[in-house]
Amino acid sequence: MYPFNISFSKTALVLATTAAASMAYASAQAAEVEVLHWWTSGGEARAANVLKELMEAEGYGWEDFAVAGGGGETAMTVLKSRAMSGNPPSAAQIKGPEIQEWGELGLLGELDEVAEAEGWDALLPTTVADVMRHNGSYVAVPVNVHRVNWLWANPEVLAAAGVEMPTTLDELFVAGEAIREAGYIPLAHGGQAWQDATVFESVLLASGGTEFYQRALVELDEEALGSAQMIEALETFKRLRELMDDDMSGRDWNIATSMVINGDAGMQLMGDWAKGEFTAAELTAGEEYLCAAAPGTQDAFTFNIDSLAMFRVEGVEREAQQALARLVLEPTFQEAFNLAKGSIPARPDLDMSEFDTCAQQSLEDFQRTAEEGGLVPSMAHGMAVRADVQGAIFDVVTNYFNSRDMPAEEAARRMVNAAQAAL
Ligand code: GAL
């Protein structure tokens, strides 16, 4: 449905066909999977290791193809060049609408046998299962559900500043000022396009509400993108710079999280992979660190479902790949992986008693917002729009955020242009 571009599609198809024969030969030697992902921070690596260990316990080899870079932009670039040279990995972390883009290229293999044997249709919520299928066949398996609209905080820093966890954007600015006066950085942030977009979508959600978020960032409604509401969201987003430090440019998200952990900063707006860092540092949720819905977004849940898509492979490599797909949805993996990753399981039928209070809240809010209409896909994390449109929106958001003189009106106009790339 969404080819990257014509020349890439054609080249990829030709190369993939020639590669199939050589892969069959290579895979005759070892039942091994090569898995591309970008889970390289402390918490993420612990989580990825769960899968490696489960595969190895079943006698399969694991070749780790980790490409550092939060949000996965670099990983996707590397994946495209591997696919172009006719040598894709067995599986890769590919999410949301992008699964369809790869499916259209004819590069993904199906998992229908495993899905049927394991009863995936009954196990997975329909909305999740639909994303994992291409032309009716399962081509990917979901590992988790991340929530993006979270605020994380260090309770000692809040106490030193005499403030509580902010629940509205106005409270966030007031608390931030008090934290600054107490001698700390109010909001830890990393100046990278995907992190800017992560914060922006939470601010837009708070200032415009779920319906506006849906119209602007999911449906790409031009009226919403160019509206006064959008201009207001952009202005509020830019004001957040007042709460950030001067060294944020290029900083990785997990370094920003460590600033909250160490007590250099008070808060961070980030998805719950940040919880993986607090967990890896052996801190207790609700006591040594705090979580709450991003200010003003209590009635919404921006979801980000990580999934592993399977490339078309042959022989024993396919056998190992099918085992990988089966393991991913089994309770053992779902529990251990998500405890380390900060997310909640992709299947809703599991016992959550081992999970911390933030994860329990995530599950409750997921179910509540699904019923009440506040469950929306994260634009910043590839759930809402095609990769090329997402890239165009990232450019606008980050250029505006870093510009000294671009008015919000101009940024809103550029948003409309970015959406036109989708036509
Ligand atoms: C997200 C991904 C998460 C986490 C985060 C930071 O896009 O879904 O699993 O890795 O990026 O890298």
Side-chain angles (χ1 to χ4, degrees):
M1 210 186 326
Y2 307 128
F4 303 113
N5 60 52
I6 303 286
S7 60
F8 172 64
S9 320
K10 282 192 186 149
T11 323
L13 280 173
V14 172
L15 288 167
T17 325
T18 26
S22 58
M23 268 189 281
Y25 166 74
S27 63
Q29 295 150 30
E32 184 175 89
V33 280
E34 188 185 14
V35 183
L36 175 132
H37 60 89
W38 60 90
W39 296 325
T40 55
S41 76
E44 290 175 325
R46 283 174 79 223
N49 203 42
V50 171
L51 193 50
K52 172 179 189 276
E53 282 176 358
L54 286 173
M55 281 298 279
E56 286 174 351
E58 291 212 0
Y60 296 106
W62 171 277
E63 199 179 326
D64 202 41
F65 186 1
V67 181
E73 209 178 322
T74 319
M76 285 302 110
T77 307
V78 173
L79 179 62
K80 279 173 199 166
S81 75
R82 273 285 298 268
M84 291 275 286
S85 63
N87 182 27
S90 337
Q93 142 105 322
I94 302 176
K95 307 188 293 181
E98 231 181 327
I99 295 174
Q100 303 306 318
E101 298 184 32
W102 287 95
E104 285 305 310
L105 294 175
L107 296 181
L108 300 184
E110 48 79 21
L111 295 166
D112 289 333
E113 226 174 286
V114 189
E116 203 174 314
E118 302 291 313
W120 287 5
D121 280 352
L123 217 61
L124 294 173
T126 322
T127 39
V128 178
D130 284 349
V131 178
M132 305 299 143
R133 290 199 202 94
H134 177 68
N135 284 347
S137 287
Y138 280 98
V139 292
V141 57
V143 301
N144 62 7
V145 179
H146 271 302
R147 182 186 200 176
V148 180
N149 58 321
W150 278 116
L151 178 71
W152 307 95
N154 181 316
E156 285 177 14
V157 175
L158 296 194
V163 294
E164 304 272 319
M165 220 30 185
T167 60
T168 62
L169 286 171
D170 285 345
E171 282 179 22
L172 176 68
F173 286 107
V174 173
E177 218 26 72
I179 293 172
R180 159 108 50 229
E181 272 163 31
Y184 305 90
I185 297 164
L187 200 58
H189 181 66
Q192 296 176 344
W194 75 271
Q195 293 187 63
D196 295 342
T198 298
V199 171
F200 171 66
E201 73 177 22
S202 285
V203 171
L204 182 135
L205 194 55
S207 80
T210 315
E211 210 179 303
F212 179 66
Y213 177 99
Q214 180 78 26
R215 279 179 61 210
L217 296 185
V218 184
E219 291 159 21
L220 302 173
D221 174 331
E222 291 182 17
E223 205 184 298
L225 287 166
S227 66
Q229 236 166 347
M230 173 61 78
I231 293 167
E232 190 191 318
L234 283 161
E235 282 171 346
T236 310
F237 166 60
K238 185 119 179 202
R239 263 187 71 203
L240 283 180
R241 285 190 79 96
E242 295 164 15
L243 306 183
M244 297 170 179
D245 66 312
D246 292 340
D247 298 327
M248 67 182 179
S249 175
R251 177 189 288 141
D252 287 328
W253 67 271
N254 53 316
I255 303 297
T257 310
S258 72
M259 290 162 62
V260 179
I261 292 176
N262 298 338
D264 295 333
M267 307 174 283
Q268 182 184 18
L269 282 162
M270 185 48 65
D272 47 19
W273 42 94
K275 186 156 71 70
E277 302 304 297
F278 290 105
T279 307
E282 299 184 354
L283 300 184
T284 306
E287 290 170 23
E288 292 158 311
Y289 70 96
L290 306 177
C291 64
T297 71
Q298 287 78 358
D299 291 334
F301 187 118
T302 31
F303 68 84
N304 170 22
I305 301 171
D306 285 322
S307 50
L308 292 176
M310 304 295 159
F311 281 86
R312 200 184 278 270
V313 294
E314 307 277 333
V316 284
E317 187 181 359
R318 179 165 160 82
E319 186 199 308
Q321 179 196 58
Q322 305 282 306
L324 175 80
R326 170 176 51 76
L327 282 170
V328 163
L329 270 182
E330 282 182 359
T332 316
F333 170 80
Q334 285 286 320
E335 185 172 328
F337 178 89
N338 287 305
L339 281 170
K341 188 75 167 67
S343 35
I344 55 174
R347 47 186 284 184
D349 62 330
L350 297 179
D351 172 18
M352 291 285 292
S353 55
E354 291 297 310
F355 284 78
D356 60 42
T357 49
C358 302
Q360 310 268 5
Q361 187 190 330
S362 186
L363 180 64
E364 260 175 53
D365 288 353
F366 181 81
Q367 287 163 343
R368 178 173 59 86
T369 57
E371 277 162 26
E372 294 171 0
L375 185 62
V376 286
S378 165
M379 181 282 296
H381 293 277
M383 294 286 115
V385 294
R386 291 173 6 197
D388 58 343
V389 181
Q390 183 202 34
I393 296 179
F394 276 21
D395 285 349
V396 178
V397 169
T398 209
N399 288 338
Y400 167 70
F401 198 54
N402 290 305
S403 154
R404 282 183 192 281
D405 50 16
M406 189 195 302
E409 287 77 5
E410 170 62 17
R413 264 194 296 279
R414 292 190 188 187
M415 284 284 190
V416 175
N417 293 340
Q420 281 166 352
L423 298 174

